[in-house]
Amino acid sequence: LTEHFWSGEFQCQCGCGFGLAPGDMDMEVVEGLEKMRVITGQPIYVVRFNPATGDFGQAGSGCRCEARNRAIGGVEGSFHTEGRAADTWGPPAPHPLKAAQPVPALAEGGIGRYARRMPVHADNGPRRRWRG
């Protein structure tokens, strides 16, 4: 999709295939993530979070089908279900939070973290900020 991101990083983790087809993931968000990576000068990963264990792993919380979103406790109407959001992580963890703010597509959308060690959420929906 870009120099540093490929569609497999954004695919729904249930195996339904959402995220693999062209157009599933909003390119404005993907290009925003690419700009975040350039700003930090370090890798930024799209990650999946397992709320049951508190663990997260590389690849996977971009697109989510409705069933997957419900299964992991995602909010109804999540931008992930529209391919308009991604949860990111980068070394060190605070960098994605700061790096998303100067990216126009993301600065006008939602940027936040639910808890200190969790990934940073970025989307191109309405402007909102939160920090857990």
Side-chain angles (χ1 to χ4, degrees):
L1 298 173
T2 66
E3 183 178 351
H4 297 102
F5 294 100
W6 61 289
S7 61
E9 289 179 275
F10 298 96
Q11 70 178 316
C12 182
Q13 291 300 300
C14 79
C16 69
F18 179 41
L20 293 176
D24 281 352
M25 190 65 197
D26 189 313
M27 284 304 295
E28 185 178 58
V29 174
V30 177
E31 290 164 2
L33 298 176
E34 183 69 26
K35 288 177 184 172
M36 285 172 58
R37 190 190 189 289
V38 170
I39 289 167
T40 64
Q42 298 179 41
I44 289 178
Y45 305 101
V46 178
V47 297
R48 59 183 164 75
F49 180 71
N50 182 337
T53 64
D55 295 329
F56 51 91
Q58 188 174 332
S61 204
C63 294
R64 291 185 205 144
C65 67
E66 293 284 349
R68 175 68 179 162
N69 193 58
R70 278 191 304 278
I72 66 166
V75 299
E76 188 173 331
S78 168
F79 287 104
H80 288 279
T81 64
E82 299 174 16
R84 295 179 54 201
D87 294 333
T88 64
W89 187 262
H95 282 219
L97 192 63
K98 291 178 183 174
Q101 295 172 10
V103 176
L106 305 177
E108 295 303 316
I111 301 171
R113 177 178 287 148
Y114 298 98
R116 183 182 163 136
R117 288 193 30 86
M118 286 183 65
V120 172
H121 171 98
D123 67 54
N124 65 352
R127 184 179 166 82
R128 345 176 279 294
R129 299 290 181 270
W130 65 94
R131 198 172 200 167

